[in-house]
Amino acid sequence: MGSLTIHSPTSSRRQFLKTTAAGATLATAAITGLYRPASAQKKAIPLLFPTLPYPENALEPYLSAKTLHIHHDRHHRKYMEETIARVKGTDYENATLEKIIKETYGGITMIETLHLMAVLAWNHDFYWKSMKPKGGGELPPKLKTMILEAFGSVDAFKKEFKEAAMTFGSGWAWLVLDKGKAAVTYTKYHESPLLLNQTPLLTTDTWEHAYYLDYQDRKGDYADAFLNNLANWSFAEKNLSAAAPAAPSTTAPAPVKKSEKKK
Ligand SMILES: [Fe+2]
């Protein structure tokens, strides 16, 4: 079984960071690096609210146009606009979401709000790309090989991914590359595998707003539809190929994180 990582609430992380030297260093760096005088500020804001990679009705009957409209145009838009508003006039004004996510991790309250908005904006963009019309089906060769090596069979992988997607509460089920191996990870709320030195390959949003209009309490049916009819395996294959030269285990150490438990 691949790793299934559950993270504790953000408030615990904040408390943890407050009580450790590492946390103090991180918070201090974040404070000193964040604001600059107006004269030094850059003019352009490169962060933009991304359009959907397909029409709102393209994933029907598995996800309705109404679900995609509310999810993308209200939820995702809010996370992106909140992120853009918070980086305006700061060193992060021209930064990527990935940089913001990694550097604001575990900061003081104001930075933490930016962090969670940036994670949610990034996760949603990745989620839209993780699906496509007429998705599912056969896995591309490289991805299939990784899946078979890690899980033994595609069905075993799907079973574990579905289990992660059905975790109670709001979160994200991920197929990731972890230390050179395919794994299933679950992150709660606004947490990101980017902070665990894992390379995301594919994700599904398991917050209620992602599926409730179409599936109500049938979260398992939503997970099945994602895996069998929506998953963009080509996107996962592309992410896998891009990550292949540099295994996650060889990258910089992960930022300080709070306690976690294996499931
Ligand atoms: Fe969402």
Side-chain angles (χ1 to χ4, degrees):
M1 169 171 172
S3 63
L4 185 64
T5 307
I6 308 292
H7 302 279
S8 55
T10 299
S11 56
S12 302
R13 179 179 68 219
R14 187 164 62 234
Q15 188 57 42
F16 172 75
L17 287 168
K18 279 179 180 173
T19 57
T20 65
T25 302
L26 207 159
T28 302
I31 293 167
T32 56
L34 189 58
Y35 287 109
R36 296 181 300 167
S39 58
Q41 292 170 6
K42 297 176 184 173
K43 34 324 158 191
I45 298 178
L47 296 174
L48 295 171
F49 175 56
T51 57
L52 277 173
Y54 30 71
E56 288 180 347
N57 65 356
L59 302 184
E60 292 185 337
Y62 307 105
L63 283 177
S64 65
K66 187 174 183 181
T67 289
L68 256 68
H69 177 72
I70 294 172
H71 198 172
H72 175 257
D73 201 53
R74 297 194 201 169
H75 291 270
H76 187 183
R77 180 187 292 279
K78 177 189 171 187
Y79 305 138
M80 198 67 237
E81 290 183 351
E82 291 280 346
T83 301
I84 292 169
R86 282 174 167 75
V87 298
K88 195 170 182 182
T90 75
D91 278 349
Y92 293 125
E93 189 160 336
N94 292 302
T96 62
L97 282 176
E98 289 87 345
K99 179 179 171 70
I100 294 169
I101 289 166
K102 289 177 180 174
E103 294 190 6
T104 58
Y105 182 64
I108 59 176
T109 303
M110 186 278 302
I111 298 174
E112 186 173 290
T113 306
L114 167 59
H115 174 78
L116 74 88
M117 288 296 163
V119 170
L120 288 172
W122 193 95
N123 285 4
H124 279 88
D125 186 51
F126 199 81
Y127 170 58
W128 304 129
K129 293 169 181 168
S130 293
M131 300 185 289
K132 68 175 185 181
K134 298 180 181 171
E138 191 65 24
L139 274 61
K142 187 170 181 179
L143 181 65
K144 187 170 183 177
T145 299
M146 294 292 286
I147 294 282
L148 293 178
E149 282 175 4
F151 300 93
S153 71
V154 174
D155 285 346
F157 152 69
K158 287 185 175 179
K159 183 172 182 290
E160 187 165 330
F161 190 95
K162 180 178 178 179
E163 192 179 298
M166 291 179 67
T167 302
F168 182 78
S170 300
W172 304 83
W174 304 84
L175 170 62
V176 299
L177 195 60
D178 186 4
K179 298 179 179 65
K181 285 188 66 177
V184 167
T185 296
Y186 174 79
T187 59
K188 289 178 80 171
Y189 305 119
H190 55 271
E191 300 197 337
S192 167
L194 294 175
L195 299 168
L196 302 172
N197 278 340
Q198 295 171 332
T199 302
L201 303 179
L202 198 82
T203 192
T204 192
D205 185 341
T206 70
W207 291 52
E208 278 196 349
H209 65 232
Y211 65 88
Y212 202 81
L213 287 176
D214 300 320
Y215 295 90
Q216 296 82 48
D217 58 330
R218 294 177 291 112
K219 201 171 185 178
D221 290 349
Y222 165 61
D224 284 336
F226 176 85
L227 287 164
N228 299 320
N229 305 103
L230 295 170
N232 186 352
W233 300 125
S234 300
F235 177 63
E237 173 95 338
K238 191 177 121 193
N239 293 326
L240 178 61
S241 296
S249 57
T250 63
T251 57
V256 177
K257 61 180 182 295
K258 57 199 180 302
S259 61
E260 59 186 50
K261 62 180 180 181
K262 297 274 184 183
K263 184 177 176 182

